[in-house]
Amino acid sequence: MSLRASVTDRGAVLLGRNVACDAFEESKVLRVVTHAHADHMVGLRQSLKACKKVLMTKATKDIIDVMRSPLFLLGGFVETLEYGQSMQFDGEHITFFKADHILGAAQVLVEDFEGKRIVFTGDFRIDGTPILESDVLVIEATYGSPACRRSFGTDVKDLLASLVEKGLKQGAVYVFGYHGKLQEVMQILREAGFDVPFLAPERVFQISKVCENHGMRIGRLMLLTEPENEKILKSNTPCIVFYHMGSKNNVGLNNFRVLISGWEFGSAIRQTDVNEYVVALSDHSDFNGLLEYVRRSKPQYVITDNSRVSNGESLAKEIRKSLGIPAEALPKRDFS
Ligand SMILES: [Zn+2]
């Protein structure tokens, strides 16, 4: 069974005869990009050159066009596939299903020539992700350690809104997060009724526009580089400024700061400085959520993705122990 799927050292998730997801693999002619996070676009330039087809959702394509350049994907044969839509290739059927992670994220089902169902979850959060039944399941393992169990409930959104409200009393609130997550926060705050100006630098702005085009509700967002918008910031009018996490040490150092992170398990909000808080808003399932997916997917064999984080071993161990399903972590890591 395990021969039907594997994960390479480079992080390519191999499904059936033809498909390599999320990293380049020269023996496979179809490349899938499950979503537009950097660790899932490994060797994409090589795949564009070498593969017969590169598959992704339209939303993922639009995000990559912004993050790289619209010319980048023109370097190969990109075909967009929507959720529920199947493609046939060499006797196998490839179908994408929604993964609740960032805009455009997909799970991949390959039905091989014998009708076996080989599934790769990609990155996902269990709440909004349909569970696919499988014969062989490859599952992400970001929070695949028993230490990664969230002890708090799902009221994080309300807590986030209260925190931002408190910050706005002092003026501008800076929110730092990763692409995709930032836009989710924008939508949460709009839904909570915040109507103060939202500002963002160029890249965040463009990705937000893609999210809006695909149905997210972000409302009016202003570009930070426009002179009149800079004035808003200088006057310290209450507003919310959204920056990529990579800028957290460079901007808004004297403002009220909210850092959005997934790696928080003890509490939903943690104060890290006088005016700085970390909010636990994750786009991955925790340890229990990963086990829940496996249980309901009913696979005969499980492979945990051990290439992107090192929690694959502990997740595979727990799947064998508590669910009684054969499971292994791939690639094998050398701990010597
Ligand atoms: Zn991701």
Side-chain angles (χ1 to χ4, degrees):
M1 268 297 176
S2 62
L3 292 176
R4 295 175 198 270
S6 188
V7 185
T8 68
D9 288 341
R10 220 180 157 189
V13 175
L14 312 182
L15 309 174
R17 271 202 301 230
N18 300 292
V19 173
C21 306
D22 294 351
F24 175 65
E25 163 55 39
E26 58 187 350
S27 65
K28 304 291 174 189
V29 294
L30 297 182
R31 166 73 189 264
V32 168
V33 180
T34 60
H35 64 287
H37 278 151
D39 57 338
H40 297 261
M41 295 198 286
V42 179
L44 185 51
R45 192 181 294 276
Q46 279 173 292
S47 297
L48 286 164
K49 260 193 205 145
C51 292
K52 283 209 168 118
K53 277 180 185 173
V54 179
L55 305 170
M56 62 191 75
T57 63
K58 175 71 166 62
T60 295
K61 179 179 178 299
D62 290 349
I63 297 172
I64 295 174
D65 281 347
V66 167
M67 285 171 65
R68 301 284 174 100
S69 118
L71 296 176
F72 178 72
L73 291 177
L74 288 176
F77 295 97
V78 174
E79 193 168 308
T80 57
L81 209 57
E82 294 317 308
Y83 300 140
Q85 195 188 341
S86 283
M87 193 197 106
Q88 205 179 332
F89 186 91
D90 186 28
E92 297 182 324
H93 291 267
I94 298 131
T95 315
F96 283 180
F97 292 87
K98 184 185 160 69
D100 183 12
H101 181 59
I102 62 163
L103 180 80
Q107 309 183 74
V108 186
L109 164 68
V110 172
E111 290 160 291
D112 72 8
F113 55 100
E114 288 178 334
K116 294 287 181 201
R117 291 169 63 87
I118 310 159
V119 167
F120 175 40
T121 61
D123 288 351
F124 73 101
R125 179 166 49 188
I126 196 152
D127 322 342
T129 301
I131 309 246
L132 306 179
E133 290 200 359
S134 62
D135 294 300
V136 178
L137 174 67
V138 184
I139 188 165
E140 68 128 321
T142 306
Y143 297 141
S145 153
C148 302
R149 283 187 243 233
R150 288 187 198 106
S151 53
F152 42 88
T154 50
D155 56 348
V156 181
K157 292 178 181 179
D158 296 338
L159 294 169
L160 170 69
S162 319
L163 184 67
V164 171
E165 201 173 327
K166 179 175 143 185
L168 285 171
K169 292 189 180 126
Q170 299 177 29
V173 171
Y174 279 68
V175 176
F176 299 91
Y178 292 98
H179 294 311
K181 190 87 73 72
L182 276 178
Q183 286 74 19
E184 190 190 342
V185 171
M186 291 176 193
Q187 184 166 286
I188 289 170
L189 295 176
R190 286 299 190 210
E191 280 171 1
F194 286 85
D195 56 2
V196 294
F198 281 13
L199 297 117
E202 181 85 32
R203 181 68 57 84
V204 173
F205 180 87
Q206 287 178 345
I207 291 176
S208 307
K209 289 292 140 197
V210 171
C211 291
E212 279 239 303
N213 289 341
H214 286 274
M216 284 181 73
R217 295 170 305 279
I218 288 167
R220 184 153 175 246
L221 180 66
M222 298 188 288
L223 199 53
L224 265 174
T225 44
E226 303 280 336
E228 62 266 36
N229 297 338
E230 278 178 27
K231 270 188 223 153
I232 298 179
L233 260 192
K234 288 210 176 91
S235 64
N236 205 29
T237 310
C239 64
I240 308 173
V241 195
F242 296 88
Y243 266 99
H244 189 267
M245 194 60 102
S247 302
K248 76 172 166 37
N249 297 326
N250 308 324
V251 293
L253 297 173
N254 299 313
N255 288 80
F256 193 94
R257 294 154 58 86
V258 179
L259 277 56
I260 309 292
S261 168
W263 290 97
E264 294 290 319
F265 300 98
S267 59
I269 293 184
R270 186 163 60 88
Q271 188 166 8
T272 44
D273 209 332
V274 183
N275 261 343
E276 187 180 274
Y277 296 82
V278 175
V279 173
L281 197 67
S282 180
D283 44 19
H284 290 272
S285 289
D286 74 352
F287 187 65
N288 291 341
L290 293 169
L291 290 171
E292 171 77 4
Y293 189 107
V294 177
R295 190 180 61 76
R296 288 166 56 193
S297 175
K298 304 191 194 89
Q300 293 164 37
Y301 198 87
V302 180
I303 293 167
T304 60
D305 179 356
N306 203 32
S307 72
R308 290 175 174 79
V309 286
S310 54
N311 288 332
E313 294 283 0
S314 53
L315 180 61
K317 190 175 158 197
E318 187 66 23
I319 291 167
R320 292 192 298 266
K321 198 176 97 183
S322 70
L323 302 175
I325 300 170
E328 70 175 322
L330 288 177
K332 298 277 176 241
R333 284 181 180 241
D334 181 7
F335 290 104
S336 59

